[in-house]
Every structure is written in structure tokens, then in C-alpha cells.
Amino acid sequence: MKESTVPAVGRLKKTLALAVLAGLMLTGCGGKQAAMQPTATATATAVSQTTETVVVPAVVNLTLDKAKDQLEKLGFKVEAVDSAKGKSIIVKSNWQVVSQDPANGAQAEKGSTVHLGVKNLDDVAAEKAAAEKAAADKAAADQAAAAKAAADKAAADKAAADKAAADQAAAAKAAADQAARDAAARAASEQAAAAQKAAQAPAPAPAPAGGVTPGAFCSPAGSVGLSDKGVSYTCKPSAADSRSRWRQ
């Protein structure tokens, strides 16, 4: 009987060991599955939180303190740097935002960082004053250039008018001189024709003695006559008197 009991006890121990091992394995798997469920829930919650987006507002030209407050109220983190000189930022109200990333109107995740470029208000005021001075200098230069251009145009217009007047006067004088030359030429031609005609005409017969009064008007020119004293006179004009008289 002893010999048949030992193998049965051994088989029973093996069966119990297998049952315990299977129970442990089942318990372990169930615990692992139960442990994984909270983790999956937390992951889903975290994903839903990180994917929430917000419209980035416009904060350029605001002072840094106001821009920071506005962005942080929307759930953003803020990082600001001096984009001009790299100075340390101590009093945020003394700085002005000059750039932002992401830009105004962009969609960004809640909790993400908005990067701001800022300038010290003293630098902003100095730049504004320099820009205003440059604009004023340019306006003054433009005004001076316009005044000079107007003065140059007026001088050019006057010079052109003076030249036109001088040209007109010169043309009038030239016309008058030409008319005088033409008149002189006509007079000379007429005088030459008259002289030629007189030379070609037969000499008039002398007037009878006692028929000529010296200095009296006579005609035709070229006639010859004798005074009562028997002196010969010619009917002709003189250099001072164009009328024909009895002259010696």
C-alpha cells in the first residue's frame, strides 16, 4: 500500500503547484490591466489638455507688463528679450513690445510660450525723436528745393521774356533800317532818273532880256533867262530850297 500512495501524493503536489501558479498568473494579469486603466485615462486627459488652442492677441506697442498680463490670462507663457541692445529687463513697465512670435491672430496651444522682442522706452523715445527730426529736416529740404526751383523758373522765364523783347526790338530796328535804305535807294533812283531826263531834254531857249526877276519862282526847271541888266539866270532849285527859282 505504501508504494502506491507515494506516487499519488506526488501527483497531488504537482497539481496544487500548477493551480497556484495559474492563479498567480491570472492575478498578475488582472492587476496589470487594472493598473493600466488609470494611466490610459490620464494620458487621454493630458492629450486633450495639450491640444487646446487659443488665438494669440496683438501685444505689439504695449508695455511689457500689460502684454505679459494679457498673455498669461489666456494661458500662455511669456519670454521677453531686449531685441535692440540685449539689456536685462528689470522694470517691465519701462519696456515696449516691438515684435511677437507667434504673430497676432495665430492659433497657439494653451501653455505654449509667446516670444516677445522689446525695447527700452528711453530708446523708443530717442528713436521717435530722431525719426521726427529726420522727417522735419527732409520737409525743410524739400521746401527749400521747391523754393529754389520756383526762383530758378522765374529767372528763366524773365530771361526768356527779356530775350524775346530784345529779339523783337532788334527785328523792328532791322525793319526800320531796311525801310530807310529802301527809301534812300528809291530817292537816289528817282534823282538819277530826273537828272538823266534833264540831261536828255533840249536846253530851253534863253528868255528875252528884261524878262527874268532874280529869285522869283520859275518853271520849267532848267530854263534860262536874262535879267533887265542882261545877266543870265537858270530856273533851278538850291541845296537849301527845293523849289525852282531864277538863280545864277
Side-chain angles (χ1 to χ4, degrees):
M1 292 293 293
K2 255 181 193 181
E3 291 178 0
S4 61
T5 304
V6 172
V9 172
R11 286 194 296 273
L12 180 60
K13 287 182 178 180
K14 288 181 181 179
T15 302
L16 289 173
L18 291 171
V20 170
L21 179 61
L24 289 174
M25 290 179 66
L26 290 172
T27 303
C29 290
K32 184 177 180 181
Q33 185 175 4
M36 288 179 63
Q37 288 178 353
T39 303
T41 303
T43 303
T45 303
V47 169
S48 65
Q49 289 176 349
T50 55
T51 55
E52 183 179 356
T53 59
V54 182
V55 177
V56 180
V59 294
V60 173
N61 294 328
L62 295 179
T63 54
L64 178 55
D65 57 333
K66 294 180 180 178
K68 188 172 184 294
D69 290 344
Q70 186 173 342
L71 291 169
E72 288 179 346
K73 285 178 181 178
L74 294 174
F76 292 111
K77 297 176 184 178
V78 177
E79 181 179 313
V81 294
D82 179 2
S83 59
K85 299 180 180 179
K87 294 180 181 179
S88 299
I89 300 172
I90 300 174
V91 182
K92 295 181 177 59
S93 60
N94 290 340
W95 296 82
Q96 180 177 318
V97 179
V98 294
S99 65
Q100 67 178 81
D101 182 25
N104 168 35
Q107 293 279 347
E109 291 184 4
K110 199 170 186 178
S112 62
T113 300
V114 177
H115 300 275
L116 303 179
V118 298
K119 281 186 181 180
N120 189 276
L121 290 179
D122 292 337
D123 294 337
V124 173
E127 290 178 1
K128 181 181 179 183
E132 289 175 351
K133 183 179 183 302
D137 291 344
K138 183 179 184 302
D142 291 344
Q143 186 175 4
K148 183 178 183 301
D152 292 344
K153 184 177 184 303
D157 291 344
K158 183 178 182 303
D162 292 345
K163 183 178 184 303
D167 292 344
Q168 187 175 3
K173 183 177 183 302
D177 291 345
Q178 184 63 43
R181 288 192 294 271
D182 292 344
R186 283 195 301 272
S189 177
E190 291 173 357
Q191 187 174 2
Q196 184 178 7
K197 183 177 180 181
Q200 291 176 352
V212 172
T213 302
F217 293 108
C218 60
S219 65
S223 300
V224 178
L226 299 175
S227 67
D228 55 355
K229 295 181 179 180
V231 178
S232 176
Y233 287 85
T234 303
C235 182
K236 61 182 179 179
S238 68
D241 186 2
S242 61
R243 295 170 295 182
S244 297
R245 294 174 181 268
W246 291 110
R247 310 174 193 273
Q248 284 187 330

